[in-house]
Amino acid sequence: DAKTTQPNSMESNEEEPVHLPCNHSTISGTDYIHWYRQLPSQGPEYVIHGLTSNVNNRMASLAIAEDRKSSTLILHRATLRDAAVYYCILREGMNRDDKIIFGKGTRLHILP
Amino acid sequence: DAGITQSPRHKVTETGTPVTLRCHQTENHRYMYWYRQDPGHGLRLIHYSYGVKDTDKGEVSDGYSVSRSKTEDFLLTLESATSSQTSVYFCAISAEGGGFGGNTIYFGEGSWLTVV
Protein backbone atom coordinates (compact mmCIF):
# COMPACT_ATOMS: atom_id res chain seq x y z
CA ASP A 1 0.00 0.00 0.00
CA ALA A 2 1.02 3.57 -0.62
CA LYS A 3 2.59 5.24 2.37
CA THR A 4 0.99 8.57 1.54
CA THR A 5 -2.55 9.95 1.62
CA GLN A 6 -3.78 12.67 -0.71
CA PRO A 7 -7.20 14.14 -1.52
CA ASN A 8 -8.73 12.64 -4.64
CA SER A 9 -9.26 15.97 -6.34
CA MET A 10 -8.88 19.71 -5.91
CA GLU A 11 -9.93 22.78 -7.78
CA SER A 12 -8.25 26.12 -8.13
CA ASN A 13 -8.63 29.28 -10.14
CA GLU A 14 -6.13 30.24 -12.76
CA GLU A 15 -3.37 32.61 -11.61
CA GLU A 16 -3.99 31.82 -7.94
CA PRO A 17 -1.71 29.79 -5.65
CA VAL A 18 -2.47 26.13 -5.11
CA HIS A 19 -1.61 24.13 -2.01
CA LEU A 20 -1.66 20.37 -2.50
CA PRO A 21 -1.49 18.43 0.79
CA CYS A 22 0.05 15.03 1.47
CA ASN A 23 0.02 13.02 4.68
CA HIS A 24 2.76 10.53 5.42
CA SER A 25 2.40 9.78 9.10
CA THR A 26 4.59 6.63 8.99
CA ILE A 27 7.57 8.35 7.36
CA SER A 28 10.96 7.19 8.57
CA GLY A 29 14.02 9.30 9.12
CA THR A 30 15.63 8.28 5.83
CA ASP A 31 12.56 8.69 3.59
CA TYR A 32 12.66 11.42 0.98
CA ILE A 33 9.40 13.11 -0.05
CA HIS A 34 8.94 13.28 -3.81
CA TRP A 35 6.26 14.91 -5.94
CA TYR A 36 5.49 13.98 -9.52
CA ARG A 37 2.75 15.10 -11.85
CA GLN A 38 1.11 13.47 -14.81
CA LEU A 39 -0.38 15.43 -17.65
CA PRO A 40 -3.05 13.76 -19.79
CA SER A 41 -1.72 10.94 -21.99
CA GLN A 42 1.83 11.38 -20.72
CA GLY A 43 4.14 9.65 -18.30
CA PRO A 44 4.62 11.21 -14.87
CA GLU A 45 7.29 13.88 -14.55
CA TYR A 46 9.37 15.04 -11.63
CA VAL A 47 8.27 18.17 -9.79
CA ILE A 48 10.28 18.46 -6.59
CA HIS A 49 11.64 16.50 -3.65
CA GLY A 50 12.98 17.11 -0.16
CA LEU A 51 14.11 15.46 3.03
CA THR A 52 13.68 17.85 5.94
CA SER A 53 13.91 21.45 4.79
CA ASN A 54 11.55 23.36 2.54
CA VAL A 55 12.60 23.36 -1.10
CA ASN A 56 12.02 25.68 -4.02
CA ASN A 57 12.57 25.22 -7.72
CA ARG A 58 11.29 26.80 -10.90
CA MET A 59 8.16 24.65 -10.92
CA ALA A 60 7.01 24.68 -7.31
CA SER A 61 7.81 24.85 -3.62
CA LEU A 62 7.71 22.02 -1.12
CA ALA A 63 6.82 22.79 2.47
CA ILE A 64 7.62 19.99 4.91
CA ALA A 65 6.08 19.92 8.37
CA GLU A 66 8.48 20.03 11.27
CA ASP A 67 7.57 16.47 12.32
CA ARG A 68 7.74 15.41 8.63
CA LYS A 69 4.37 13.67 8.88
CA SER A 70 2.90 15.88 6.18
CA SER A 71 3.98 18.08 3.32
CA THR A 72 2.46 20.57 0.92
CA LEU A 73 3.25 21.18 -2.72
CA ILE A 74 2.77 24.82 -3.57
CA LEU A 75 2.18 26.07 -7.10
CA HIS A 76 2.59 29.80 -6.74
CA ARG A 77 0.50 30.87 -9.70
CA ALA A 78 -1.53 28.13 -11.33
CA THR A 79 -2.00 28.05 -15.07
CA LEU A 80 -4.23 25.85 -17.18
CA ARG A 81 -1.17 23.78 -18.03
CA ASP A 82 -0.89 22.79 -14.37
CA ALA A 83 -4.06 20.72 -14.61
CA ALA A 84 -2.76 17.21 -13.92
CA VAL A 85 -2.67 14.38 -11.42
CA TYR A 86 -0.12 15.08 -8.68
CA TYR A 87 1.52 12.22 -6.83
CA CYS A 88 3.27 12.42 -3.49
CA ILE A 89 5.52 9.43 -2.74
CA LEU A 90 8.17 8.43 -0.26
CA ARG A 91 11.52 7.04 -1.32
CA GLU A 92 13.48 5.14 1.26
CA GLY A 93 17.06 6.28 1.04
CA MET A 94 19.01 3.37 2.44
CA ASN A 95 17.68 0.05 1.18
CA ARG A 96 19.13 -1.64 -1.86
CA ASP A 97 15.62 -2.91 -2.55
CA ASP A 98 14.03 0.33 -3.74
CA LYS A 99 10.36 -0.50 -4.15
CA ILE A 100 8.49 2.63 -5.14
CA ILE A 101 4.74 2.66 -4.56
CA PHE A 102 2.50 5.37 -5.95
CA GLY A 103 -1.02 6.05 -4.74
CA LYS A 104 -3.89 7.48 -6.74
CA GLY A 105 -2.69 11.05 -6.44
CA THR A 106 -4.68 14.28 -6.49
CA ARG A 107 -6.37 15.38 -9.69
CA LEU A 108 -5.98 19.14 -9.91
CA HIS A 109 -8.56 21.08 -11.92
CA ILE A 110 -7.75 24.65 -12.91
CA LEU A 111 -10.66 26.95 -13.60
CA PRO A 112 -10.11 29.74 -16.13
CA ASP B 1 14.84 14.29 -21.04
CA ALA B 2 16.03 10.94 -19.73
CA GLY B 3 16.79 8.37 -22.39
CA ILE B 4 13.94 5.93 -21.96
CA THR B 5 12.27 4.19 -24.85
CA GLN B 6 9.27 1.93 -24.56
CA SER B 7 8.24 -0.41 -27.33
CA PRO B 8 5.79 -1.01 -28.73
CA ARG B 9 3.93 2.20 -27.96
CA HIS B 10 0.61 0.74 -29.03
CA LYS B 11 -0.44 -2.87 -29.43
CA VAL B 12 -3.66 -4.79 -29.91
CA THR B 13 -3.47 -8.48 -29.21
CA GLU B 14 -5.79 -11.41 -28.74
CA THR B 15 -6.62 -13.14 -25.49
CA GLY B 16 -4.26 -16.00 -24.77
CA THR B 17 -1.33 -14.73 -26.83
CA PRO B 18 2.03 -13.86 -25.27
CA VAL B 19 3.09 -10.22 -25.28
CA THR B 20 6.42 -8.63 -24.42
CA LEU B 21 6.92 -4.97 -23.71
CA ARG B 22 10.42 -3.57 -23.79
CA CYS B 23 11.93 -0.72 -21.81
CA HIS B 24 15.30 0.51 -23.00
CA GLN B 25 17.40 3.14 -21.22
CA THR B 26 20.58 4.93 -22.19
CA GLU B 27 21.27 6.38 -18.71
CA ASN B 28 22.98 3.33 -17.17
CA HIS B 29 20.63 3.64 -14.18
CA ARG B 30 20.47 0.74 -11.80
CA TYR B 31 16.77 0.76 -10.94
CA MET B 32 14.00 0.00 -13.41
CA TYR B 33 10.27 -0.36 -12.84
CA TRP B 34 7.12 -1.42 -14.64
CA TYR B 35 3.80 0.17 -13.67
CA ARG B 36 0.32 -0.18 -15.05
CA GLN B 37 -2.27 2.55 -14.97
CA ASP B 38 -6.01 2.06 -15.12
CA PRO B 39 -8.85 4.50 -14.51
CA GLY B 40 -9.48 4.90 -10.79
CA HIS B 41 -6.32 3.04 -9.76
CA GLY B 42 -3.44 5.42 -10.27
CA LEU B 43 -0.04 3.89 -10.92
CA ARG B 44 0.41 0.34 -9.66
CA LEU B 45 3.79 -1.34 -9.48
CA ILE B 46 4.02 -4.64 -11.36
CA HIS B 47 7.70 -5.63 -11.06
CA TYR B 48 10.93 -3.83 -10.49
CA SER B 49 14.64 -4.45 -10.83
CA TYR B 50 17.55 -3.26 -8.73
CA GLY B 51 20.26 -4.65 -10.97
CA VAL B 52 21.00 -7.12 -13.73
CA LYS B 53 19.14 -10.35 -12.96
CA ASP B 54 17.84 -8.82 -9.71
CA THR B 55 14.09 -8.43 -9.90
CA ASP B 56 11.19 -8.51 -7.48
CA LYS B 57 7.42 -8.41 -7.44
CA GLY B 58 5.35 -5.32 -6.97
CA GLU B 59 1.71 -4.83 -6.04
CA VAL B 60 0.07 -6.50 -9.04
CA SER B 61 2.53 -9.07 -10.37
CA ASP B 62 0.16 -11.98 -11.08
CA GLY B 63 0.13 -12.82 -14.80
CA TYR B 64 3.35 -10.93 -15.48
CA SER B 65 7.01 -11.88 -15.60
CA VAL B 66 10.11 -9.77 -16.16
CA SER B 67 13.69 -10.19 -17.20
CA ARG B 68 16.75 -8.01 -17.05
CA SER B 69 19.77 -9.58 -18.67
CA LYS B 70 21.58 -6.28 -19.19
CA THR B 71 21.50 -2.89 -17.54
CA GLU B 72 19.76 -1.08 -20.36
CA ASP B 73 16.81 -3.40 -21.00
CA PHE B 74 13.89 -4.43 -18.79
CA LEU B 75 11.33 -6.69 -20.41
CA LEU B 76 7.76 -7.22 -19.22
CA THR B 77 6.03 -10.36 -20.47
CA LEU B 78 2.40 -11.30 -20.35
CA GLU B 79 2.60 -15.06 -20.83
CA SER B 80 -1.04 -15.40 -21.84
CA ALA B 81 -2.75 -12.04 -22.20
CA THR B 82 -6.20 -11.51 -20.70
CA SER B 83 -8.67 -8.68 -21.16
CA SER B 84 -8.00 -7.54 -17.57
CA GLN B 85 -4.46 -6.71 -18.68
CA THR B 86 -5.70 -4.06 -21.08
CA SER B 87 -3.96 -1.02 -19.69
CA VAL B 88 -1.33 1.63 -20.14
CA TYR B 89 2.09 0.42 -19.06
CA PHE B 90 4.82 2.78 -17.91
CA CYS B 91 8.47 2.04 -17.45
CA ALA B 92 10.53 4.09 -15.00
CA ILE B 93 14.22 4.32 -14.14
CA SER B 94 16.25 5.80 -11.31
CA ALA B 95 19.90 6.12 -10.42
CA GLU B 96 21.58 4.79 -7.31
CA GLY B 97 24.12 6.45 -5.12
CA GLY B 98 24.63 7.71 -1.62
CA GLY B 99 21.31 8.88 -0.27
CA PHE B 100 19.68 7.68 -3.44
CA GLY B 101 16.26 8.29 -2.01
CA GLY B 102 16.77 11.76 -3.37
CA ASN B 103 17.36 10.64 -6.93
CA THR B 104 14.78 11.50 -9.54
CA ILE B 105 12.54 8.89 -11.12
CA TYR B 106 12.17 9.19 -14.88
CA PHE B 107 9.24 7.73 -16.76
CA GLY B 108 8.82 6.54 -20.30
CA GLU B 109 6.00 7.69 -22.53
CA GLY B 110 3.87 4.60 -21.97
CA SER B 111 2.73 1.56 -23.92
CA TRP B 112 -0.97 1.25 -24.67
CA LEU B 113 -1.98 -2.41 -24.70
CA THR B 114 -5.42 -3.65 -25.70
CA VAL B 115 -6.31 -7.31 -25.27
CA VAL B 116 -9.39 -8.36 -27.26
Side-chain angles (χ1 to χ4, degrees):
Chain A
D1 290 344
K3 301 178 188 177
T4 61
T5 304
Q6 300 176 252
N8 288 333
S9 66
M10 292 183 63
E11 233 175 47
S12 180
N13 293 319
E14 194 177 12
E15 299 186 3
E16 290 186 356
V18 181
H19 291 237
L20 295 164
C22 181
N23 287 318
H24 28 80
S25 58
T26 61
I27 192 169
S28 72
T30 56
D31 284 344
Y32 284 76
I33 302 159
H34 285 244
W35 283 83
Y36 292 79
R37 74 177 187 180
Q38 187 175 20
L39 303 173
S41 300
Q42 296 186 23
E45 63 177 354
Y46 170 78
V47 177
I48 200 166
H49 77 277
L51 183 60
T52 56
S53 303
N54 294 344
V55 183
N56 299 295
N57 66 21
R58 64 175 181 83
M59 289 181 71
S61 295
L62 175 60
I64 300 173
E66 195 169 336
D67 63 5
R68 299 213 319 131
K69 292 180 184 288
S70 66
S71 61
T72 302
L73 178 70
I74 302 166
L75 307 179
H76 295 286
R77 191 166 171 269
T79 70
L80 295 177
R81 290 177 297 176
D82 291 321
V85 177
Y86 288 78
Y87 297 96
C88 165
I89 67 165
L90 301 181
R91 280 202 78 183
E92 207 278 314
M94 298 300 292
N95 276 346
R96 176 173 176 264
D97 177 3
D98 188 27
K99 186 174 184 177
I100 302 174
I101 302 295
F102 282 74
K104 296 183 181 180
T106 296
R107 184 173 295 278
L108 177 63
H109 302 273
I110 304 297
L111 305 176
Chain B
D1 290 343
I4 309 173
T5 305
Q6 291 187 228
S7 60
R9 294 290 316 282
H10 296 87
K11 185 173 182 65
V12 179
T13 192
E14 293 185 349
T15 298
T17 60
V19 176
T20 295
L21 305 180
R22 180 188 185 222
C23 179
H24 178 76
Q25 61 149 326
T26 58
E27 306 296 325
N28 201 35
H29 283 351
R30 177 178 178 180
Y31 294 91
M32 299 186 75
Y33 307 83
W34 276 109
Y35 293 89
R36 64 176 288 176
Q37 187 169 44
D38 307 288
H41 287 280
L43 286 162
R44 292 185 290 177
L45 181 64
I46 305 172
H47 281 281
Y48 63 108
S49 170
Y50 40 94
V52 173
K53 297 187 180 179
D54 286 327
T55 65
D56 207 344
K57 296 179 179 180
E59 305 169 277
V60 289
S61 59
D62 287 348
Y64 301 95
S65 62
V66 290
S67 66
R68 192 167 178 202
S69 58
K70 44 187 178 178
T71 299
E72 58 265 35
D73 287 326
F74 192 32
L75 304 180
L76 177 71
T77 298
L78 291 65
E79 300 291 345
S80 177
T82 68
S83 59
S84 64
Q85 293 176 310
T86 292
S87 188
V88 183
Y89 292 86
F90 288 100
C91 173
I93 66 173
S94 184
E96 65 171 324
F100 63 83
N103 288 337
T104 299
I105 306 162
Y106 300 97
F107 284 83
E109 296 182 330
S111 293
W112 273 255
L113 177 66
T114 302
V115 183
V116 298

Short mmCIF file of all heavy atoms in Angstrom, two decimals, chain B residues 83-114:
data_model
loop_
_atom_site.label_atom_id
_atom_site.label_comp_id
_atom_site.label_asym_id
_atom_site.label_seq_id
_atom_site.Cartn_x
_atom_site.Cartn_y
_atom_site.Cartn_z
N SER B 83 -8.06 -10.00 -20.97
CA SER B 83 -8.67 -8.68 -21.16
C SER B 83 -8.43 -7.77 -19.96
O SER B 83 -8.38 -6.54 -20.10
CB SER B 83 -10.17 -8.82 -21.41
OG SER B 83 -10.80 -9.49 -20.34
N SER B 84 -8.25 -8.35 -18.77
CA SER B 84 -8.00 -7.54 -17.57
C SER B 84 -6.61 -6.89 -17.60
O SER B 84 -6.32 -6.02 -16.78
CB SER B 84 -8.12 -8.40 -16.31
OG SER B 84 -7.12 -9.40 -16.29
N GLN B 85 -5.78 -7.31 -18.53
CA GLN B 85 -4.46 -6.71 -18.68
C GLN B 85 -4.43 -5.58 -19.71
O GLN B 85 -3.37 -5.02 -19.99
CB GLN B 85 -3.43 -7.78 -19.02
CG GLN B 85 -3.22 -8.77 -17.88
CD GLN B 85 -2.28 -9.90 -18.23
OE1 GLN B 85 -2.42 -10.56 -19.27
NE2 GLN B 85 -1.32 -10.16 -17.36
N THR B 86 -5.59 -5.26 -20.25
CA THR B 86 -5.70 -4.06 -21.08
C THR B 86 -5.41 -2.86 -20.19
O THR B 86 -6.07 -2.66 -19.17
CB THR B 86 -7.10 -3.95 -21.68
OG1 THR B 86 -7.30 -5.00 -22.62
CG2 THR B 86 -7.30 -2.60 -22.36
N SER B 87 -4.41 -2.09 -20.56
CA SER B 87 -3.96 -1.02 -19.69
C SER B 87 -2.91 -0.18 -20.40
O SER B 87 -2.50 -0.49 -21.52
CB SER B 87 -3.37 -1.62 -18.40
OG SER B 87 -3.09 -0.62 -17.45
N VAL B 88 -2.50 0.87 -19.71
CA VAL B 88 -1.33 1.63 -20.14
C VAL B 88 -0.18 1.23 -19.22
O VAL B 88 -0.33 1.24 -17.99
CB VAL B 88 -1.56 3.15 -20.04
CG1 VAL B 88 -0.33 3.89 -20.56
CG2 VAL B 88 -2.80 3.55 -20.79
N TYR B 89 0.94 0.89 -19.82
CA TYR B 89 2.09 0.42 -19.06
C TYR B 89 3.21 1.46 -19.14
O TYR B 89 3.57 1.91 -20.22
CB TYR B 89 2.57 -0.93 -19.62
CG TYR B 89 1.60 -2.04 -19.37
CD1 TYR B 89 0.55 -2.27 -20.25
CD2 TYR B 89 1.70 -2.83 -18.24
CE1 TYR B 89 -0.38 -3.29 -20.02
CE2 TYR B 89 0.78 -3.86 -18.00
CZ TYR B 89 -0.26 -4.06 -18.89
OH TYR B 89 -1.17 -5.05 -18.64
N PHE B 90 3.73 1.81 -17.98
CA PHE B 90 4.82 2.78 -17.91
C PHE B 90 6.06 2.14 -17.33
O PHE B 90 6.00 1.43 -16.32
CB PHE B 90 4.44 3.98 -17.04
CG PHE B 90 3.43 4.89 -17.65
CD1 PHE B 90 2.10 4.82 -17.30
CD2 PHE B 90 3.82 5.84 -18.59
CE1 PHE B 90 1.16 5.66 -17.87
CE2 PHE B 90 2.89 6.68 -19.17
CZ PHE B 90 1.56 6.59 -18.81
N CYS B 91 7.17 2.42 -17.97
CA CYS B 91 8.47 2.04 -17.45
C CYS B 91 9.07 3.25 -16.75
O CYS B 91 8.84 4.40 -17.16
CB CYS B 91 9.37 1.59 -18.60
SG CYS B 91 11.08 1.28 -18.15
N ALA B 92 9.85 3.00 -15.70
CA ALA B 92 10.53 4.09 -15.00
C ALA B 92 11.94 3.65 -14.64
O ALA B 92 12.21 2.45 -14.48
CB ALA B 92 9.76 4.50 -13.74
N ILE B 93 12.83 4.62 -14.52
CA ILE B 93 14.22 4.32 -14.14
C ILE B 93 14.67 5.31 -13.07
O ILE B 93 14.12 6.40 -12.93
CB ILE B 93 15.18 4.40 -15.35
CG1 ILE B 93 15.28 5.84 -15.88
CG2 ILE B 93 14.75 3.46 -16.46
CD1 ILE B 93 16.34 6.02 -16.96
N SER B 94 15.69 4.90 -12.31
CA SER B 94 16.25 5.80 -11.31
C SER B 94 17.68 5.38 -11.02
O SER B 94 18.03 4.21 -11.07
CB SER B 94 15.43 5.76 -10.03
OG SER B 94 15.92 6.70 -9.10
N ALA B 95 18.50 6.38 -10.72
CA ALA B 95 19.90 6.12 -10.42
C ALA B 95 20.06 5.65 -8.99
O ALA B 95 19.15 5.73 -8.17
CB ALA B 95 20.71 7.38 -10.66
N GLU B 96 21.25 5.14 -8.68
CA GLU B 96 21.58 4.79 -7.31
C GLU B 96 22.62 5.78 -6.83
O GLU B 96 22.97 6.72 -7.52
CB GLU B 96 22.15 3.38 -7.25
CG GLU B 96 23.47 3.23 -7.98
CD GLU B 96 24.11 1.89 -7.72
OE1 GLU B 96 24.00 1.39 -6.59
OE2 GLU B 96 24.73 1.36 -8.65
N GLY B 97 23.10 5.57 -5.64
CA GLY B 97 24.12 6.45 -5.12
C GLY B 97 23.86 6.75 -3.67
O GLY B 97 22.81 6.41 -3.15
N GLY B 98 24.79 7.37 -3.02
CA GLY B 98 24.63 7.71 -1.62
C GLY B 98 23.40 8.55 -1.42
O GLY B 98 23.19 9.54 -2.10
N GLY B 99 22.55 8.15 -0.49
CA GLY B 99 21.31 8.88 -0.27
C GLY B 99 20.44 8.87 -1.49
O GLY B 99 19.83 9.88 -1.84
N PHE B 100 20.35 7.70 -2.14
CA PHE B 100 19.68 7.68 -3.44
C PHE B 100 18.18 7.90 -3.34
O PHE B 100 17.51 8.00 -4.35
CB PHE B 100 19.99 6.39 -4.20
CG PHE B 100 19.51 5.13 -3.52
CD1 PHE B 100 18.21 4.71 -3.65
CD2 PHE B 100 20.38 4.38 -2.75
CE1 PHE B 100 17.77 3.56 -3.03
CE2 PHE B 100 19.95 3.23 -2.12
CZ PHE B 100 18.65 2.82 -2.27
N GLY B 101 17.66 7.95 -2.14
CA GLY B 101 16.26 8.29 -2.01
C GLY B 101 15.95 9.64 -2.60
O GLY B 101 14.81 9.96 -2.90
N GLY B 102 16.98 10.46 -2.79
CA GLY B 102 16.77 11.76 -3.37
C GLY B 102 16.90 11.78 -4.88
O GLY B 102 16.73 12.83 -5.49
N ASN B 103 17.20 10.66 -5.49
CA ASN B 103 17.36 10.64 -6.93
C ASN B 103 16.02 10.65 -7.65
O ASN B 103 15.05 10.05 -7.22
CB ASN B 103 18.15 9.40 -7.37
CG ASN B 103 19.61 9.50 -7.01
OD1 ASN B 103 20.14 10.60 -6.82
ND2 ASN B 103 20.27 8.38 -6.88
N THR B 104 16.01 11.34 -8.77
CA THR B 104 14.78 11.50 -9.54
C THR B 104 14.39 10.21 -10.23
O THR B 104 15.24 9.43 -10.66
CB THR B 104 14.98 12.61 -10.58
OG1 THR B 104 15.27 13.83 -9.89
CG2 THR B 104 13.73 12.80 -11.43
N ILE B 105 13.09 10.01 -10.36
CA ILE B 105 12.54 8.89 -11.12
C ILE B 105 12.10 9.43 -12.47
O ILE B 105 11.41 10.44 -12.55
CB ILE B 105 11.33 8.28 -10.41
CG1 ILE B 105 11.69 7.91 -8.97
CG2 ILE B 105 10.81 7.06 -11.15
CD1 ILE B 105 10.48 7.71 -8.08
N TYR B 106 12.53 8.78 -13.52
CA TYR B 106 12.17 9.19 -14.88
C TYR B 106 11.26 8.14 -15.50
O TYR B 106 11.52 6.95 -15.40
CB TYR B 106 13.43 9.35 -15.74
CG TYR B 106 14.40 10.37 -15.22
CD1 TYR B 106 15.49 9.98 -14.45
CD2 TYR B 106 14.22 11.72 -15.49
CE1 TYR B 106 16.38 10.92 -13.96
CE2 TYR B 106 15.12 12.66 -15.01
CZ TYR B 106 16.19 12.25 -14.23
OH TYR B 106 17.06 13.19 -13.75
N PHE B 107 10.22 8.63 -16.16
CA PHE B 107 9.24 7.73 -16.76
C PHE B 107 9.31 7.75 -18.28
O PHE B 107 9.62 8.78 -18.89
CB PHE B 107 7.82 8.13 -16.33
CG PHE B 107 7.49 7.74 -14.93
CD1 PHE B 107 7.87 8.54 -13.87
CD2 PHE B 107 6.78 6.58 -14.68
CE1 PHE B 107 7.56 8.18 -12.56
CE2 PHE B 107 6.47 6.21 -13.38
CZ PHE B 107 6.86 7.01 -12.32
N GLY B 108 8.97 6.59 -18.86
CA GLY B 108 8.82 6.54 -20.30
C GLY B 108 7.46 7.10 -20.70
O GLY B 108 6.67 7.53 -19.87
N GLU B 109 7.21 7.08 -22.00
CA GLU B 109 6.00 7.69 -22.53
C GLU B 109 4.78 6.77 -22.47
O GLU B 109 3.67 7.20 -22.73
CB GLU B 109 6.23 8.15 -23.96
CG GLU B 109 7.28 9.27 -24.05
CD GLU B 109 7.46 9.75 -25.47
OE1 GLU B 109 7.26 8.95 -26.41
OE2 GLU B 109 7.81 10.94 -25.64
N GLY B 110 4.99 5.52 -22.12
CA GLY B 110 3.87 4.60 -21.97
C GLY B 110 3.66 3.69 -23.17
O GLY B 110 4.01 4.05 -24.30
N SER B 111 3.11 2.53 -22.88
CA SER B 111 2.73 1.56 -23.92
C SER B 111 1.26 1.22 -23.72
O SER B 111 0.88 0.74 -22.66
CB SER B 111 3.57 0.28 -23.81
OG SER B 111 4.93 0.52 -24.10
N TRP B 112 0.47 1.51 -24.76
CA TRP B 112 -0.97 1.25 -24.67
C TRP B 112 -1.24 -0.15 -25.20
O TRP B 112 -1.01 -0.42 -26.38
CB TRP B 112 -1.73 2.28 -25.50
CG TRP B 112 -2.05 3.54 -24.78
CD1 TRP B 112 -3.26 3.93 -24.29
CD2 TRP B 112 -1.14 4.60 -24.43
NE1 TRP B 112 -3.16 5.14 -23.67
CE2 TRP B 112 -1.88 5.59 -23.74
CE3 TRP B 112 0.23 4.80 -24.64
CZ2 TRP B 112 -1.31 6.76 -23.25
CZ3 TRP B 112 0.81 5.97 -24.16
CH2 TRP B 112 0.04 6.93 -23.48
N LEU B 113 -1.72 -1.03 -24.32
CA LEU B 113 -1.98 -2.41 -24.70
C LEU B 113 -3.47 -2.70 -24.60
O LEU B 113 -4.10 -2.44 -23.58
CB LEU B 113 -1.21 -3.37 -23.79
CG LEU B 113 -1.47 -4.87 -24.04
CD1 LEU B 113 -0.93 -5.28 -25.40
CD2 LEU B 113 -0.85 -5.72 -22.94
N THR B 114 -4.02 -3.24 -25.68
CA THR B 114 -5.42 -3.65 -25.70
C THR B 114 -5.47 -5.14 -25.97
O THR B 114 -4.91 -5.61 -26.97
CB THR B 114 -6.21 -2.90 -26.78
OG1 THR B 114 -6.12 -1.49 -26.54
CG2 THR B 114 -7.67 -3.33 -26.76
#
